[in-house]
Amino acid sequence: MRPTRFALALVAALAALLPLRANAATNWSTWHTARIVRERATPVFTVDGKPFYVYGAAFFYERIPRDLWKSDLERYRALGINTIDLYVIWNWHEPQPGVVDFDGHTNPRRDLIGLMRTIHALGFKVIVRPGPVIRNEWRNGGYPDWLLERPAYDMPLHDVLEGRYPATATLQNAHADAASAEWLANATHRRFASRWLHAALQAIAPWSHDVIAVALDDDQGAYIDNDTWPAPHWHAYMTWLETQVRHEIGSRVPLFINTFQTKVPSATPVWAWGNWYQSDAYRIGDHDLAQIALSFGMLQSQRDVPVMASEFQAGWLQGADESAPRAAAPANTTLALHEMLQQNVHGVVNFPVQDTLNPAGWEAPWANWFYAWDAAFDLQGNAAPRFAPTAAFGALVRAYGPLLATMHAVSDVGIAWSADAYDPATMTNARFAALAAAVITQQQRCRALALSCTIVDLHATPASELARLHALVIPSFDPSLALDARARATLERYRRAGGSVVARVDDARGVRSATGGLRDAALLVTPDERVGMLDIFNASTEPRTTPPVRVFFGGRSFAIPAMTLAPGSARDLPLGIAAKPLALPTLAPLARTPAAVPIAEHAWLPTDRPVERDIYRDGEPTYLLDDGRIRAVIAADAGARVLLLATAGGHHNFVATVGAARDGVADPPTPSPRDYIAPYTHPLDAGTFNRAYACAPLGAALRCTYTAPDLAEQPVTFEKTFALVGDTLTVTLRASAAATSLSAVDPSVHAALDPGSDAVLTIEQHPGTAFVRVRYPADRTVRLHLTLQGGANGGTNRP
């Protein structure tokens, strides 16, 4: 269903408020590299007039020292990456009202212009994601805090200061239509977001020829239980965003939303790309493969555009209270990428390929200072276990990318995603869930029977494409619902043309497997059926041997030899053309340590007083204490947290990336009712973890203070002093209200209070980390002593 006339009229009126310029879009290329063409029935993404398979990587430049951008990007290219995905973050580039920095004059990491020059010189294409909201576990979802404090946003000050996402953005997770209505009704948002989008896109204009797609906002339309259909306000807001972007870039650059299992992909207001992250299983199994098949199968119902994966990672990030990312087998990357290839995915953005560090205090309150995923590259830029499978797929794209961009899987059976074929008033979230479950069941039966199945939309998929299917499955999920007249007419035409309509895949008769009976395989062919490729993987933990079979396409028969596939591996057999070598890169280890344990990068000498240094090269004030035996690093703008505690000659950090000496109040505020994702984003009390403290030397010690206006009825002042004595870091704590301190340290660290202290110390053991908690009364001075007992051989190699 399309937006109501009222919603469209609202968008037109709002667009009319945009100041029109005679030279609008003239700074962007009048011709662009990227377009979608149809080769017979297949939509093909092209760049410079040639089919182009997007093998992308998110590059979080704000999390990487400026002097490492070029060398890191060169290593991305060695992986086979051909496209760089860029979040251009509003609050990073406009930290104060009217102070817009795209050249790095306020912080080298804001040098977007220099980054674009480097990307162009290295030959990458670019996907631009300018928001206005970007999420990404980033402070305030990329939205300026100086705006969010205004009444128009109806956001509690506490949520703003903690760095939580805009309240309206959290509403969109389950109520996209209501959130869109809020955004449209917020004149302050429209004015400033429009200004930001124009500024960001103007900064990129000199390199517009490299831009192959632009995203509208972030995570729009995601989740099957979200109200994205028919959703007239959501359509209107997406149209408003499109108007702002088009005003700057013109009409030819493809726009998209990154989403996940949106309810009716064929009815989204712009091209829908898909996100996918692995579940909490260590190895990919039936559940994850089924979710990939559903997620990207649904996107196949968009008739005129190819299927794209906007965010992909076969794992998950390290949480705020965790010492490491969730463990996941590296082979999961292989299995997931090849399942996506079999689901007609024609572009993938690895999200990310590199572990990084957040600038001090810029992470969201549920995120970790260490933005770690166990990605292909570790924090030092060296190859990690996920490097090999990521590079292997990159080699496949490098060798066969133009062919893969045109290929589609030969489908034996169609499965109807029939959501829009029912009265919207009857399609509750429970019924959408039931439909999804029914479709997954049929997809799994296809997998078990070694059949290739595609998802179709009875409203959107043309009869000519349905006619090529041997059978069409209409999954039964609620017998009380009846298909609408349009869908029934489509089915009747399909039957008259000789097609078989069934309720289950098992009821389809006379269907021949396109893969010759090979399971977890797909036969990919070009639109003219002159060239093909058999893609097959082994999801088992045991070797898999397949028999010799024959496959057919284009009036020809091809012999597939017997194969033995190692556990977690995949193979691609080109058919109709000679096989090309798949060259895997060999990268020399880097000696540098970009930010992990900066001791190796700096000539650190003992000092008799704290020294301010930009140790992590993030432009944020950090202080070094070093007495010749141990050293500590305190980040003033990250709540005066201790980020590093190490022996003078060691490369081991005795503090986890949660940090040490994190301040909070004993009775913290409860999550606000405007924080609609609170159940998922409060793993530990945020306290003042991201607040900017005023720090200054106090003899050989460092004294830091901050007054929080939001943690109690009256402002709360925190004061803490850091001093090194022998092998001990002593933190002296004082607050004007009953308070807490949290230190996440190596289990070998001995934590103690002064004898007779009326504070309470507790220690919780977490995997690889001890959480030392101190609770103390108001206006009382408490000393916490953290003593290194492991010497130079203790601690961990974490940041």
Side-chain angles (χ1 to χ4, degrees), residues 386-409:
R386 214 181 293 274
F387 172 86
T390 307
F393 199 82
L396 179 69
V397 172
R398 185 182 285 117
Y400 296 105
L403 276 176
L404 292 174
T406 69
M407 287 180 162
H408 66 277

Side-chain angles (χ1 to χ4, degrees), residues 290-620:
Q291 286 298 312
I292 294 173
L294 177 67
S295 299
F296 295 103
M298 289 171 64
L299 295 180
Q300 295 174 30
S301 65
Q302 297 178 104
R303 177 192 172 198
D304 296 321
V305 291
V307 178
M308 295 286 192
S310 44
E311 296 177 14
F312 159 74
Q313 187 59 263
W316 191 243
L317 77 159
Q318 182 172 332
D321 57 345
E322 296 174 334
S323 59
R326 188 170 65 206
N332 297 347
T333 297
T334 296
L335 299 175
L337 284 169
H338 285 270
E339 174 66 22
M340 289 158 64
L341 187 62
Q342 295 181 16
Q343 293 298 328
N344 288 316
V345 172
H346 287 88
V348 178
V349 174
N350 293 274
F351 199 91
V353 296
Q354 180 180 8
D355 290 342
T356 52
L357 285 175
N358 283 293
W362 284 88
E363 68 266 36
W366 58 90
N368 199 287
W369 174 49
F370 189 19
Y371 198 64
W373 296 74
D374 282 343
F377 291 120
D378 64 17
L379 192 57
Q380 286 74 25
N382 289 317
R386 214 181 293 274
F387 172 86
T390 307
F393 199 82
L396 179 69
V397 172
R398 185 182 285 117
Y400 296 105
L403 276 176
L404 292 174
T406 69
M407 287 180 162
H408 66 277
V410 176
S411 299
D412 306 308
V413 174
I415 301 173
W417 180 257
S418 53
D420 56 345
Y422 300 100
D423 181 354
T426 67
M427 286 300 292
T428 62
N429 284 337
R431 281 175 168 153
F432 267 99
L435 173 60
V439 169
I440 287 174
T441 296
Q442 297 309 309
Q443 287 181 310
Q444 291 296 85
R445 289 304 299 154
C446 286
R447 183 181 174 217
L449 297 170
L451 297 177
S452 297
C453 297
T454 187
I455 287 183
V456 300
D457 185 304
L458 298 179
H459 282 185
T461 306
S464 59
E465 294 181 24
L466 294 177
R468 291 197 294 271
L469 300 170
H470 298 291
L472 186 55
V473 178
I474 312 298
S476 175
F477 69 99
D478 189 330
S480 69
L481 298 179
L483 294 171
D484 63 17
R486 183 178 172 186
R488 294 196 303 272
T490 296
L491 293 178
E492 183 59 28
R493 286 192 297 270
Y494 176 73
R495 288 192 185 95
R496 289 177 182 172
S500 173
V501 178
V502 295
R504 303 182 311 145
V505 172
D506 295 79
D507 296 333
R509 304 300 178 198
V511 178
R512 182 177 66 182
S513 169
T515 63
L518 296 178
R519 182 181 167 176
D520 291 334
L523 177 61
L524 310 173
V525 299
T526 55
D528 59 11
E529 297 194 358
R530 293 184 179 181
V531 177
M533 182 176 290
L534 184 80
D535 180 90
I536 185 170
F537 62 81
N538 177 18
S540 169
T541 57
E542 301 293 333
R544 175 189 177 190
T545 299
T546 63
V549 300
R550 301 193 74 84
V551 297
F552 303 85
F553 66 88
R556 292 171 293 168
S557 170
F558 295 87
I560 306 298
M563 295 178 284
T564 298
L565 285 79
S569 70
R571 287 191 64 182
D572 289 274
L573 304 179
L575 306 171
I577 57 169
K580 299 179 181 180
L582 302 182
L584 297 179
T586 300
L587 296 180
L590 295 172
R592 63 176 169 85
T593 57
V597 185
I599 304 164
E601 284 230 355
H602 297 268
W604 290 27
L605 297 174
T607 61
D608 58 1
R609 60 190 286 111
V611 176
E612 182 177 353
R613 287 184 179 175
D614 188 8
I615 290 173
Y616 298 102
R617 310 204 296 290
D618 61 3
E620 305 296 334

